[in-house]
Amino acid sequence: MATKNFIGLDSAAVKKIINSLSDLLANHQVYYTNLRGLHWDIKGDKFFELHELYEEYYNNEASAIDEVAERIAMLGGHPENRFSEYIKKSDIKEIHTISDWEAGIKNIMSSMKTILEKYRNLLTLASGANDFGTVSLARKRISEIETNLWKLTAYMG
């Protein structure tokens, strides 16, 4: 992983940031796939509202995945694209056939908390390296995740 230092950042710090972004990418990808499954499998009286919410969430994840992968490339790394590698690296585990709305929301909240912690760690690394592009990305995503967690907590009652 040769770091192209065309944006003037410390190469050693950038390597750590790329590793953190790569970890995030893996977690985002597994979470995205889980959201697709929840979207397809939801049943019951909350079908319509959660089917739409899950679609909104996975579309947002697709955007986050692209931003993270492009930031890795911009910093001189190579974004992973093999799902087999995501599974090895991700702290978020695959789920399958969850049709119960409450179990689905709990899984989403747990995944969001995992990703939120990873963004907070990335923010610390990037801030220390004066990598303000990554800081901006992390702050944006942290704010979105915190808002979604607040709303889901209210939804759960």
Side-chain angles (χ1 to χ4, degrees):
M1 170 174 27
T3 301
K4 298 173 190 159
N5 203 6
F6 61 90
I7 55 177
L9 299 174
D10 176 74
S11 295
V14 167
K15 185 175 181 180
K16 290 177 186 175
I17 292 166
I18 289 170
N19 287 338
S20 182
L21 285 163
S22 296
D23 182 48
L24 258 167
L25 182 60
N27 280 275
H28 271 301
Q29 288 282 26
V30 174
Y31 177 47
Y32 170 84
T33 301
N34 287 347
L35 285 166
R36 296 298 302 235
L38 289 169
H39 174 77
W40 296 325
D41 291 334
I42 184 69
K43 297 197 180 2
D45 62 342
K46 300 207 183 279
F47 171 83
F48 287 104
E49 64 198 79
L50 291 181
H51 188 75
E52 280 187 35
L53 181 69
Y54 295 159
E55 184 172 0
E56 176 187 326
Y57 283 176
Y58 72 66
N59 285 332
N60 189 50
E61 281 303 297
S63 177
I65 287 164
D66 194 51
E67 287 178 3
V68 168
E70 287 179 355
R71 190 67 191 169
I72 291 168
M74 188 181 304
L75 292 173
H78 185 270
E80 181 60 64
N81 69 314
R82 294 170 295 174
F83 214 82
S84 59
E85 293 302 313
Y86 298 146
I87 292 297
K88 291 177 195 172
K89 192 169 198 168
S90 179
D91 293 315
I92 297 172
K93 301 304 174 204
E94 290 178 305
I95 59 170
H96 186 60
T97 60
I98 294 178
S99 59
D100 174 71
W101 76 268
E102 198 168 355
I105 295 295
K106 285 179 181 177
N107 181 274
I108 286 172
M109 291 176 73
S110 175
S111 296
M112 284 183 178
K113 288 175 184 177
T114 297
I115 291 172
L116 178 61
E117 184 63 30
K118 291 180 181 301
Y119 272 114
R120 287 177 174 156
N121 292 336
L122 174 64
L123 183 60
T124 300
L125 277 174
S127 294
N130 293 322
D131 177 0
F132 299 116
T134 302
V135 165
S136 178
L137 182 154
R139 282 185 174 162
K140 173 186 163 194
R141 290 294 169 188
I142 287 169
S143 179
E144 289 174 1
I145 294 166
E146 287 175 346
T147 299
N148 287 335
L149 282 168
W150 167 65
K151 288 177 180 179
L152 288 173
T153 300
Y155 185 78
M156 292 294 284

